Amino acid sequence: MVEPIPNITLPPAHNPVQEGEWLQTALLNWLDTEFLPEQVNQQIAKRAAQIFMRQRMEGENDLISLTMAIVTEMEAFDFSNSFYGQFAIANAVSDLLLDSLGIDRCCGQ
């Protein structure tokens, strides 16, 4: 029987503002590199980082919960001027966090 991939828990946030700033920069870089640099990318990165930072300040450390919070709250964002949507953004945030922790995205190890 195949074992499920365990939940990934981030270390407790010691400086959520710094984490948010890092995420905003990393996500903007990803957005601009993945397709085209667009003005809206800055707004997307800023909003996703705000959601992430607030969740971390509230004590959320579970990666799945953080990802779902971004999906849910980014639904209200107007993506009409972008190639992206809330699921792409949440997945990118998850990938960036996994990379920063040195966790292989393929197998959760």
Side-chain angles (χ1 to χ4, degrees):
M1 182 172 173
V2 177
E3 293 293 320
I5 297 173
N7 283 353
I8 296 172
T9 304
L10 302 179
H14 296 292
N15 191 340
V17 173
Q18 185 178 21
E19 285 184 19
E21 290 170 353
W22 168 83
L23 180 61
Q24 184 173 344
T25 300
L27 183 57
L28 179 59
N29 183 53
W30 182 86
L31 289 164
D32 286 348
T33 302
E34 194 68 19
F35 285 106
L36 296 170
E38 301 176 290
Q39 183 67 29
V40 71
N41 291 351
Q42 293 175 14
Q43 297 157 348
I44 293 169
K46 181 179 181 179
R47 182 65 187 126
Q50 288 170 339
I51 296 165
F52 174 79
M53 190 171 45
R54 190 187 75 252
Q55 290 290 315
R56 294 288 278 158
M57 286 178 167
E58 292 175 359
E60 186 59 70
N61 297 325
D62 179 71
L63 184 59
I64 293 172
S65 296
L66 289 164
T67 303
M68 291 308 299
I70 292 170
V71 167
T72 302
E73 293 190 42
M74 290 296 288
E75 284 180 2
F77 189 87
D78 179 9
F79 285 98
S80 63
N81 294 322
S82 175
F83 289 106
Y84 305 101
Q86 71 264 24
F87 290 101
I89 300 307
N91 285 332
V93 167
S94 177
D95 287 349
L96 291 167
L97 291 169
L98 291 173
D99 289 346
S100 76
L101 295 170
I103 298 174
D104 183 1
R105 290 184 250 155
C106 164
C107 306
Q109 308 248 344

